[in-house]
Amino acid sequence: MAEASTERWKNGSQLSVIDGVPISVKEDIPVEGYSCTCGTTFVPNCVTKLGKTSLTVQKLVDDGAIIIGLTNMPRLGCNSVGSCENNVHGQPRNPHNTNFFSGGSSSGCAVSVAAGLCPISVGGDGEGSGRVPAAVCGVYALKCTHGLMSTDVESYGSLFSFSVKSPLTSSPFDLAVYIEAVCDKKSALDFTVLSESLSSLSGLTIGVYSDWMENADKETVVVFKDAIEKMKRLGAEVKDIKIPELEEIRVAHTITSVTELSSIMGEDVTNHFSELGPGAILISVMGRCFSAIESTNAMKQRTRTIKALKSIFTEVDVIATPTAGCPIPRITPEYLTVHGAFDGEAIGKLETFTFLASFTGLPAITIPVGLLGENLPVGLQLIAPWYHDLDLIKYALAIEDSGTFPRPNPDKSYDIIKTASH
């Protein structure tokens, strides 16, 4: 693929701006020539009926992108810490400090971008699976409006009703390149917003729900508030908002996600119980505990929440939160046993702010904005109205262009261009 791309560039017949660009792909997305194992030691039954190559990945390949490999993930994606429990590929570590996890479930996607192996990785995001690892590894990720990209059943994640493909990238510009390449509904987007001035955030109204922020750890809140102040200096206006029934939304989201995942994983849990980690087993059991009435009530909550958010977005352009509610945990021997550890407390904290956009189908972006102790990155999450995905990229471009949010340098990184020149 690389040789063919080189020839096209020599002849002036390159296919697109990403012709020859290396990309990685999450291990739950089918790619011909690879096994779609979803982080397990087997090919799950739930993916055996998927196509040979995901439509999204095929579009990138058709534009000349070069697949360098599939990326590691927790077994069946059931762990936002990114503990991969010594599965067949080992444990991905955070490039900023290899003593810490990389988040999940798009663990290897975030690592491959943060470590400099590729500028774009195709991940997934159902409950924060793309945004959390991107935030803790200091890169960008976009959870697109649900339905904006291909809705074909083409990956393990797409079997899950509010999961979407999620690009993780080294820059906001790369997010725009990705959307241009794979978006099915370009007519729903206004690409001209990306040509507007990037020098300020003038005209942007940011909504902040202060009481919700108290659920994050103190260090994260300090970095978040500093980021908000910097955005105000770039011209943004900040407005206090209230999001009603947040706890009810969280519970409804949990009921929906675990019942759906339990249904998807059912046969694989039965047939491969001893090969799975505690996350998949626990979710499978939890998903069988809720009644049809409870699941129906969860859907009613989603409808109420969407109505409330429509009202909030008449007053603000975006809702701002930290991306992850706590620092990513340190890797300890307890996590790295045969079956690993399921850290429910850490998982709940990491997903404190990501469930809202997932449950309602809203677009959300994570932007690296600072550091905690031990060189651990912090992400800022901006949530926009439906189909305002490119506005989020525009704001990220302005933040990057301002130079007031210096990017953290990972402890472990690779210059593949320099390496290739040798």
Side-chain angles (χ1 to χ4, degrees), residues 118-142:
C118 57
I120 299 174
S121 185
V122 185
D125 196 313
E127 299 180 71
S129 304
R131 285 163 288 163
V132 168
V136 302
C137 287
V139 299
Y140 295 83
L142 179 68

mmCIF file with all atom_site columns, all heavy atoms in Angstrom, residues 118-142:
data_model
loop_
_atom_site.group_PDB
_atom_site.id
_atom_site.type_symbol
_atom_site.label_atom_id
_atom_site.label_alt_id
_atom_site.label_comp_id
_atom_site.label_asym_id
_atom_site.label_entity_id
_atom_site.label_seq_id
_atom_site.pdbx_PDB_ins_code
_atom_site.Cartn_x
_atom_site.Cartn_y
_atom_site.Cartn_z
_atom_site.occupancy
_atom_site.B_iso_or_equiv
_atom_site.pdbx_formal_charge
_atom_site.auth_seq_id
_atom_site.auth_comp_id
_atom_site.auth_asym_id
_atom_site.auth_atom_id
_atom_site.pdbx_PDB_model_num
ATOM 1   N N   . CYS A 1 118 ? 0.960   6.939  14.319 1.00 0.00 ? 118 CYS A N   1
ATOM 2   C CA  . CYS A 1 118 ? 0.070   7.356  13.227 1.00 0.00 ? 118 CYS A CA  1
ATOM 3   C C   . CYS A 1 118 ? -0.699  8.583  13.692 1.00 0.00 ? 118 CYS A C   1
ATOM 4   O O   . CYS A 1 118 ? -0.907  8.766  14.890 1.00 0.00 ? 118 CYS A O   1
ATOM 5   C CB  . CYS A 1 118 ? -0.894  6.228  12.833 1.00 0.00 ? 118 CYS A CB  1
ATOM 6   S SG  . CYS A 1 118 ? -1.914  5.622  14.197 1.00 0.00 ? 118 CYS A SG  1
ATOM 7   N N   . PRO A 1 119 ? -1.152  9.422  12.757 1.00 0.00 ? 119 PRO A N   1
ATOM 8   C CA  . PRO A 1 119 ? -1.900  10.625 13.156 1.00 0.00 ? 119 PRO A CA  1
ATOM 9   C C   . PRO A 1 119 ? -3.391  10.401 13.316 1.00 0.00 ? 119 PRO A C   1
ATOM 10  O O   . PRO A 1 119 ? -4.080  11.240 13.884 1.00 0.00 ? 119 PRO A O   1
ATOM 11  C CB  . PRO A 1 119 ? -1.621  11.595 12.002 1.00 0.00 ? 119 PRO A CB  1
ATOM 12  C CG  . PRO A 1 119 ? -1.427  10.710 10.818 1.00 0.00 ? 119 PRO A CG  1
ATOM 13  C CD  . PRO A 1 119 ? -0.786  9.451  11.332 1.00 0.00 ? 119 PRO A CD  1
ATOM 14  N N   . ILE A 1 120 ? -3.912  9.291  12.794 1.00 0.00 ? 120 ILE A N   1
ATOM 15  C CA  . ILE A 1 120 ? -5.346  9.004  12.842 1.00 0.00 ? 120 ILE A CA  1
ATOM 16  C C   . ILE A 1 120 ? -5.555  7.549  13.230 1.00 0.00 ? 120 ILE A C   1
ATOM 17  O O   . ILE A 1 120 ? -4.894  6.654  12.693 1.00 0.00 ? 120 ILE A O   1
ATOM 18  C CB  . ILE A 1 120 ? -6.026  9.271  11.485 1.00 0.00 ? 120 ILE A CB  1
ATOM 19  C CG1 . ILE A 1 120 ? -5.894  10.741 11.078 1.00 0.00 ? 120 ILE A CG1 1
ATOM 20  C CG2 . ILE A 1 120 ? -7.497  8.856  11.513 1.00 0.00 ? 120 ILE A CG2 1
ATOM 21  C CD1 . ILE A 1 120 ? -6.417  11.053 9.676  1.00 0.00 ? 120 ILE A CD1 1
ATOM 22  N N   . SER A 1 121 ? -6.482  7.316  14.153 1.00 0.00 ? 121 SER A N   1
ATOM 23  C CA  . SER A 1 121 ? -6.882  5.955  14.492 1.00 0.00 ? 121 SER A CA  1
ATOM 24  C C   . SER A 1 121 ? -8.395  5.879  14.478 1.00 0.00 ? 121 SER A C   1
ATOM 25  O O   . SER A 1 121 ? -9.083  6.794  14.948 1.00 0.00 ? 121 SER A O   1
ATOM 26  C CB  . SER A 1 121 ? -6.347  5.556  15.869 1.00 0.00 ? 121 SER A CB  1
ATOM 27  O OG  . SER A 1 121 ? -6.635  4.192  16.142 1.00 0.00 ? 121 SER A OG  1
ATOM 28  N N   . VAL A 1 122 ? -8.928  4.788  13.946 1.00 0.00 ? 122 VAL A N   1
ATOM 29  C CA  . VAL A 1 122 ? -10.379 4.594  13.882 1.00 0.00 ? 122 VAL A CA  1
ATOM 30  C C   . VAL A 1 122 ? -10.797 3.796  15.112 1.00 0.00 ? 122 VAL A C   1
ATOM 31  O O   . VAL A 1 122 ? -10.530 2.602  15.216 1.00 0.00 ? 122 VAL A O   1
ATOM 32  C CB  . VAL A 1 122 ? -10.797 3.851  12.603 1.00 0.00 ? 122 VAL A CB  1
ATOM 33  C CG1 . VAL A 1 122 ? -12.326 3.776  12.520 1.00 0.00 ? 122 VAL A CG1 1
ATOM 34  C CG2 . VAL A 1 122 ? -10.228 4.521  11.369 1.00 0.00 ? 122 VAL A CG2 1
ATOM 35  N N   . GLY A 1 123 ? -11.421 4.482  16.060 1.00 0.00 ? 123 GLY A N   1
ATOM 36  C CA  . GLY A 1 123 ? -11.871 3.831  17.280 1.00 0.00 ? 123 GLY A CA  1
ATOM 37  C C   . GLY A 1 123 ? -13.380 3.778  17.336 1.00 0.00 ? 123 GLY A C   1
ATOM 38  O O   . GLY A 1 123 ? -14.065 3.872  16.324 1.00 0.00 ? 123 GLY A O   1
ATOM 39  N N   . GLY A 1 124 ? -13.895 3.614  18.534 1.00 0.00 ? 124 GLY A N   1
ATOM 40  C CA  . GLY A 1 124 ? -15.339 3.602  18.736 1.00 0.00 ? 124 GLY A CA  1
ATOM 41  C C   . GLY A 1 124 ? -15.669 4.297  20.034 1.00 0.00 ? 124 GLY A C   1
ATOM 42  O O   . GLY A 1 124 ? -14.832 4.424  20.922 1.00 0.00 ? 124 GLY A O   1
ATOM 43  N N   . ASP A 1 125 ? -16.907 4.764  20.157 1.00 0.00 ? 125 ASP A N   1
ATOM 44  C CA  . ASP A 1 125 ? -17.326 5.458  21.366 1.00 0.00 ? 125 ASP A CA  1
ATOM 45  C C   . ASP A 1 125 ? -18.792 5.167  21.635 1.00 0.00 ? 125 ASP A C   1
ATOM 46  O O   . ASP A 1 125 ? -19.668 5.585  20.890 1.00 0.00 ? 125 ASP A O   1
ATOM 47  C CB  . ASP A 1 125 ? -17.100 6.966  21.226 1.00 0.00 ? 125 ASP A CB  1
ATOM 48  C CG  . ASP A 1 125 ? -17.144 7.701  22.547 1.00 0.00 ? 125 ASP A CG  1
ATOM 49  O OD1 . ASP A 1 125 ? -18.084 7.456  23.333 1.00 0.00 ? 125 ASP A OD1 1
ATOM 50  O OD2 . ASP A 1 125 ? -16.252 8.524  22.797 1.00 0.00 ? 125 ASP A OD2 1
ATOM 51  N N   . GLY A 1 126 ? -19.046 4.416  22.710 1.00 0.00 ? 126 GLY A N   1
ATOM 52  C CA  . GLY A 1 126 ? -20.413 4.139  23.102 1.00 0.00 ? 126 GLY A CA  1
ATOM 53  C C   . GLY A 1 126 ? -20.752 4.741  24.452 1.00 0.00 ? 126 GLY A C   1
ATOM 54  O O   . GLY A 1 126 ? -21.860 5.169  24.691 1.00 0.00 ? 126 GLY A O   1
ATOM 55  N N   . GLU A 1 127 ? -19.761 4.755  25.347 1.00 0.00 ? 127 GLU A N   1
ATOM 56  C CA  . GLU A 1 127 ? -19.973 5.318  26.680 1.00 0.00 ? 127 GLU A CA  1
ATOM 57  C C   . GLU A 1 127 ? -18.816 6.238  27.065 1.00 0.00 ? 127 GLU A C   1
ATOM 58  O O   . GLU A 1 127 ? -18.616 6.531  28.239 1.00 0.00 ? 127 GLU A O   1
ATOM 59  C CB  . GLU A 1 127 ? -20.096 4.192  27.705 1.00 0.00 ? 127 GLU A CB  1
ATOM 60  C CG  . GLU A 1 127 ? -21.250 3.250  27.450 1.00 0.00 ? 127 GLU A CG  1
ATOM 61  C CD  . GLU A 1 127 ? -21.353 2.152  28.481 1.00 0.00 ? 127 GLU A CD  1
ATOM 62  O OE1 . GLU A 1 127 ? -21.716 2.452  29.628 1.00 0.00 ? 127 GLU A OE1 1
ATOM 63  O OE2 . GLU A 1 127 ? -21.056 0.994  28.138 1.00 0.00 ? 127 GLU A OE2 1
ATOM 64  N N   . GLY A 1 128 ? -18.038 6.648  26.063 1.00 0.00 ? 128 GLY A N   1
ATOM 65  C CA  . GLY A 1 128 ? -16.815 7.400  26.324 1.00 0.00 ? 128 GLY A CA  1
ATOM 66  C C   . GLY A 1 128 ? -15.606 6.608  25.895 1.00 0.00 ? 128 GLY A C   1
ATOM 67  O O   . GLY A 1 128 ? -14.462 6.988  26.168 1.00 0.00 ? 128 GLY A O   1
ATOM 68  N N   . SER A 1 129 ? -15.835 5.513  25.167 1.00 0.00 ? 129 SER A N   1
ATOM 69  C CA  . SER A 1 129 ? -14.760 4.594  24.801 1.00 0.00 ? 129 SER A CA  1
ATOM 70  C C   . SER A 1 129 ? -13.687 5.211  23.921 1.00 0.00 ? 129 SER A C   1
ATOM 71  O O   . SER A 1 129 ? -12.577 4.696  23.845 1.00 0.00 ? 129 SER A O   1
ATOM 72  C CB  . SER A 1 129 ? -15.341 3.380  24.059 1.00 0.00 ? 129 SER A CB  1
ATOM 73  O OG  . SER A 1 129 ? -16.320 2.758  24.830 1.00 0.00 ? 129 SER A OG  1
ATOM 74  N N   . GLY A 1 130 ? -14.023 6.307  23.229 1.00 0.00 ? 130 GLY A N   1
ATOM 75  C CA  . GLY A 1 130 ? -13.018 7.021  22.446 1.00 0.00 ? 130 GLY A CA  1
ATOM 76  C C   . GLY A 1 130 ? -12.510 8.246  23.179 1.00 0.00 ? 130 GLY A C   1
ATOM 77  O O   . GLY A 1 130 ? -11.315 8.524  23.211 1.00 0.00 ? 130 GLY A O   1
ATOM 78  N N   . ARG A 1 131 ? -13.429 8.978  23.815 1.00 0.00 ? 131 ARG A N   1
ATOM 79  C CA  . ARG A 1 131 ? -13.050 10.230 24.476 1.00 0.00 ? 131 ARG A CA  1
ATOM 80  C C   . ARG A 1 131 ? -12.180 10.020 25.706 1.00 0.00 ? 131 ARG A C   1
ATOM 81  O O   . ARG A 1 131 ? -11.206 10.755 25.921 1.00 0.00 ? 131 ARG A O   1
ATOM 82  C CB  . ARG A 1 131 ? -14.319 11.005 24.864 1.00 0.00 ? 131 ARG A CB  1
ATOM 83  C CG  . ARG A 1 131 ? -15.032 11.684 23.708 1.00 0.00 ? 131 ARG A CG  1
ATOM 84  C CD  . ARG A 1 131 ? -16.463 12.059 24.092 1.00 0.00 ? 131 ARG A CD  1
ATOM 85  N NE  . ARG A 1 131 ? -17.308 10.884 24.181 1.00 0.00 ? 131 ARG A NE  1
ATOM 86  C CZ  . ARG A 1 131 ? -18.486 10.845 24.799 1.00 0.00 ? 131 ARG A CZ  1
ATOM 87  N NH1 . ARG A 1 131 ? -18.937 11.941 25.408 1.00 0.00 ? 131 ARG A NH1 1
ATOM 88  N NH2 . ARG A 1 131 ? -19.220 9.746  24.817 1.00 0.00 ? 131 ARG A NH2 1
ATOM 89  N N   . VAL A 1 132 ? -12.482 9.009  26.529 1.00 0.00 ? 132 VAL A N   1
ATOM 90  C CA  . VAL A 1 132 ? -11.697 8.792  27.747 1.00 0.00 ? 132 VAL A CA  1
ATOM 91  C C   . VAL A 1 132 ? -10.245 8.447  27.437 1.00 0.00 ? 132 VAL A C   1
ATOM 92  O O   . VAL A 1 132 ? -9.329  9.110  27.957 1.00 0.00 ? 132 VAL A O   1
ATOM 93  C CB  . VAL A 1 132 ? -12.357 7.723  28.650 1.00 0.00 ? 132 VAL A CB  1
ATOM 94  C CG1 . VAL A 1 132 ? -11.403 7.296  29.762 1.00 0.00 ? 132 VAL A CG1 1
ATOM 95  C CG2 . VAL A 1 132 ? -13.651 8.258  29.256 1.00 0.00 ? 132 VAL A CG2 1
ATOM 96  N N   . PRO A 1 133 ? -9.958  7.444  26.601 1.00 0.00 ? 133 PRO A N   1
ATOM 97  C CA  . PRO A 1 133 ? -8.540  7.168  26.308 1.00 0.00 ? 133 PRO A CA  1
ATOM 98  C C   . PRO A 1 133 ? -7.844  8.328  25.604 1.00 0.00 ? 133 PRO A C   1
ATOM 99  O O   . PRO A 1 133 ? -6.659  8.581  25.853 1.00 0.00 ? 133 PRO A O   1
ATOM 100 C CB  . PRO A 1 133 ? -8.584  5.910  25.434 1.00 0.00 ? 133 PRO A CB  1
ATOM 101 C CG  . PRO A 1 133 ? -9.977  5.816  24.938 1.00 0.00 ? 133 PRO A CG  1
ATOM 102 C CD  . PRO A 1 133 ? -10.836 6.435  25.982 1.00 0.00 ? 133 PRO A CD  1
ATOM 103 N N   . ALA A 1 134 ? -8.554  9.038  24.730 1.00 0.00 ? 134 ALA A N   1
ATOM 104 C CA  . ALA A 1 134 ? -7.943  10.194 24.072 1.00 0.00 ? 134 ALA A CA  1
ATOM 105 C C   . ALA A 1 134 ? -7.557  11.248 25.101 1.00 0.00 ? 134 ALA A C   1
ATOM 106 O O   . ALA A 1 134 ? -6.458  11.814 25.044 1.00 0.00 ? 134 ALA A O   1
ATOM 107 C CB  . ALA A 1 134 ? -8.909  10.786 23.044 1.00 0.00 ? 134 ALA A CB  1
ATOM 108 N N   . ALA A 1 135 ? -8.450  11.503 26.059 1.00 0.00 ? 135 ALA A N   1
ATOM 109 C CA  . ALA A 1 135 ? -8.180  12.526 27.066 1.00 0.00 ? 135 ALA A CA  1
ATOM 110 C C   . ALA A 1 135 ? -6.989  12.169 27.933 1.00 0.00 ? 135 ALA A C   1
ATOM 111 O O   . ALA A 1 135 ? -6.111  13.003 28.174 1.00 0.00 ? 135 ALA A O   1
ATOM 112 C CB  . ALA A 1 135 ? -9.418  12.730 27.940 1.00 0.00 ? 135 ALA A CB  1
ATOM 113 N N   . VAL A 1 136 ? -6.942  10.925 28.411 1.00 0.00 ? 136 VAL A N   1
ATOM 114 C CA  . VAL A 1 136 ? -5.868  10.558 29.339 1.00 0.00 ? 136 VAL A CA  1
ATOM 115 C C   . VAL A 1 136 ? -4.545  10.328 28.623 1.00 0.00 ? 136 VAL A C   1
ATOM 116 O O   . VAL A 1 136 ? -3.494  10.280 29.272 1.00 0.00 ? 136 VAL A O   1
ATOM 117 C CB  . VAL A 1 136 ? -6.261  9.329  30.187 1.00 0.00 ? 136 VAL A CB  1
ATOM 118 C CG1 . VAL A 1 136 ? -7.537  9.590  30.957 1.00 0.00 ? 136 VAL A CG1 1
ATOM 119 C CG2 . VAL A 1 136 ? -6.371  8.065  29.350 1.00 0.00 ? 136 VAL A CG2 1
ATOM 120 N N   . CYS A 1 137 ? -4.582  10.206 27.293 1.00 0.00 ? 137 CYS A N   1
ATOM 121 C CA  . CYS A 1 137 ? -3.349  10.067 26.514 1.00 0.00 ? 137 CYS A CA  1
ATOM 122 C C   . CYS A 1 137 ? -2.977  11.359 25.789 1.00 0.00 ? 137 CYS A C   1
ATOM 123 O O   . CYS A 1 137 ? -2.024  11.389 25.007 1.00 0.00 ? 137 CYS A O   1
ATOM 124 C CB  . CYS A 1 137 ? -3.472  8.925  25.499 1.00 0.00 ? 137 CYS A CB  1
ATOM 125 S SG  . CYS A 1 137 ? -3.432  7.280  26.240 1.00 0.00 ? 137 CYS A SG  1
ATOM 126 N N   . GLY A 1 138 ? -3.737  12.434 26.001 1.00 0.00 ? 138 GLY A N   1
ATOM 127 C CA  . GLY A 1 138 ? -3.362  13.736 25.473 1.00 0.00 ? 138 GLY A CA  1
ATOM 128 C C   . GLY A 1 138 ? -3.555  13.933 23.987 1.00 0.00 ? 138 GLY A C   1
ATOM 129 O O   . GLY A 1 138 ? -2.806  14.674 23.351 1.00 0.00 ? 138 GLY A O   1
ATOM 130 N N   . VAL A 1 139 ? -4.606  13.297 23.400 1.00 0.00 ? 139 VAL A N   1
ATOM 131 C CA  . VAL A 1 139 ? -4.890  13.475 21.972 1.00 0.00 ? 139 VAL A CA  1
ATOM 132 C C   . VAL A 1 139 ? -6.349  13.906 21.808 1.00 0.00 ? 139 VAL A C   1
ATOM 133 O O   . VAL A 1 139 ? -7.093  14.046 22.776 1.00 0.00 ? 139 VAL A O   1
ATOM 134 C CB  . VAL A 1 139 ? -4.603  12.193 21.163 1.00 0.00 ? 139 VAL A CB  1
ATOM 135 C CG1 . VAL A 1 139 ? -3.135  11.821 21.285 1.00 0.00 ? 139 VAL A CG1 1
ATOM 136 C CG2 . VAL A 1 139 ? -5.485  11.023 21.610 1.00 0.00 ? 139 VAL A CG2 1
ATOM 137 N N   . TYR A 1 140 ? -6.756  14.125 20.561 1.00 0.00 ? 140 TYR A N   1
ATOM 138 C CA  . TYR A 1 140 ? -8.110  14.566 20.244 1.00 0.00 ? 140 TYR A CA  1
ATOM 139 C C   . TYR A 1 140 ? -8.994  13.361 19.892 1.00 0.00 ? 140 TYR A C   1
ATOM 140 O O   . TYR A 1 140 ? -8.513  12.359 19.344 1.00 0.00 ? 140 TYR A O   1
ATOM 141 C CB  . TYR A 1 140 ? -8.107  15.519 19.045 1.00 0.00 ? 140 TYR A CB  1
ATOM 142 C CG  . TYR A 1 140 ? -7.405  16.825 19.286 1.00 0.00 ? 140 TYR A CG  1
ATOM 143 C CD1 . TYR A 1 140 ? -6.025  16.940 19.153 1.00 0.00 ? 140 TYR A CD1 1
ATOM 144 C CD2 . TYR A 1 140 ? -8.122  17.963 19.660 1.00 0.00 ? 140 TYR A CD2 1
ATOM 145 C CE1 . TYR A 1 140 ? -5.369  18.147 19.375 1.00 0.00 ? 140 TYR A CE1 1
ATOM 146 C CE2 . TYR A 1 140 ? -7.484  19.174 19.886 1.00 0.00 ? 140 TYR A CE2 1
ATOM 147 C CZ  . TYR A 1 140 ? -6.105  19.257 19.736 1.00 0.00 ? 140 TYR A CZ  1
ATOM 148 O OH  . TYR A 1 140 ? -5.463  20.447 19.963 1.00 0.00 ? 140 TYR A OH  1
ATOM 149 N N   . ALA A 1 141 ? -10.272 13.473 20.186 1.00 0.00 ? 141 ALA A N   1
ATOM 150 C CA  . ALA A 1 141 ? -11.246 12.474 19.732 1.00 0.00 ? 141 ALA A CA  1
ATOM 151 C C   . ALA A 1 141 ? -12.590 13.151 19.548 1.00 0.00 ? 141 ALA A C   1
ATOM 152 O O   . ALA A 1 141 ? -12.925 14.097 20.275 1.00 0.00 ? 141 ALA A O   1
ATOM 153 C CB  . ALA A 1 141 ? -11.365 11.325 20.722 1.00 0.00 ? 141 ALA A CB  1
ATOM 154 N N   . LEU A 1 142 ? -13.341 12.670 18.587 1.00 0.00 ? 142 LEU A N   1
ATOM 155 C CA  . LEU A 1 142 ? -14.669 13.203 18.310 1.00 0.00 ? 142 LEU A CA  1
ATOM 156 C C   . LEU A 1 142 ? -15.683 12.072 18.346 1.00 0.00 ? 142 LEU A C   1
ATOM 157 O O   . LEU A 1 142 ? -15.553 11.091 17.613 1.00 0.00 ? 142 LEU A O   1
ATOM 158 C CB  . LEU A 1 142 ? -14.706 13.874 16.936 1.00 0.00 ? 142 LEU A CB  1
ATOM 159 C CG  . LEU A 1 142 ? -16.056 14.454 16.508 1.00 0.00 ? 142 LEU A CG  1
ATOM 160 C CD1 . LEU A 1 142 ? -16.442 15.648 17.371 1.00 0.00 ? 142 LEU A CD1 1
ATOM 161 C CD2 . LEU A 1 142 ? -16.018 14.866 15.038 1.00 0.00 ? 142 LEU A CD2 1
#
